[in-house]
Amino acid sequence: MTEITAAETGAPTGTVRTLLRLEGLALFLGMTMLYGIWDGSWLLYVVLFLAPDLSFAAYLAGPRVGAIVYNAAHAYLAPMALMTIGFAGAEPLVLSIAMIWLAHIGLDRALGYGLKYAKGFGYTHLGRIGKARDEPA
């Protein structure tokens, strides 16, 4: 298997990569603090926080399917839609789920776990993760 470099994927490096990871940290902290102010159930937070990572099981069907399912569970689109629906319908549980989901995505991004390419789990929009990781020069 040939390696894909950061330049080939358009993965950010240097300050841009750092800023994207800091944005993830800000999202994680912001959603977690908002959840606390919201007075959500911390048991629910703990139970649901890692739920998006269940999408990793889709990699059993191959890297292409795995990337599609993982990305669907780790993109902002669905939890932001949920948050909008929760606000519009004044649904506390829906809002809680959206905040927890966004907090999870934020922490993942802060840790460098970005959206995946079909090449494999280690190839992300934030750069390569794992042993063969591309580091900025």
Side-chain angles (χ1 to χ4, degrees):
M1 200 181 327
T2 59
E3 283 293 312
I4 296 176
T5 66
E8 291 172 318
T9 64
T13 59
T15 304
V16 172
R17 180 181 166 122
T18 301
L19 285 172
L20 289 171
R21 291 180 71 173
L22 287 172
E23 282 181 346
L25 181 61
L27 181 62
F28 166 68
L29 294 173
M31 286 296 108
T32 301
M33 288 190 309
L34 183 60
Y35 190 79
I37 292 167
W38 173 254
D39 204 24
S41 162
W42 289 107
L43 178 59
L44 182 66
Y45 187 96
V46 169
V47 169
L48 293 182
F49 188 79
L50 294 177
D53 285 340
L54 295 174
S55 64
F56 180 72
Y59 275 92
L60 294 172
R64 184 176 182 280
V65 172
I68 291 168
V69 174
Y70 183 93
N71 289 344
H74 287 83
Y76 298 131
L77 185 61
M80 289 303 295
L82 258 186
M83 186 168 270
T84 303
I85 291 165
F87 274 122
E91 295 290 334
L93 180 58
V94 173
L95 283 169
S96 292
I97 292 168
M99 285 184 265
I100 296 165
W101 195 351
L102 286 166
H104 172 91
I105 293 169
L107 184 60
D108 269 9
R109 301 281 169 86
L111 295 174
Y113 294 99
L115 298 174
K116 309 301 181 207
Y117 289 100
K119 178 91 172 156
F121 185 81
Y123 298 91
T124 81
H125 84 288
L126 294 175
R128 183 86 164 91
I129 56 174
K131 283 187 176 184
R133 188 171 147 178
D134 289 334
E135 290 293 338

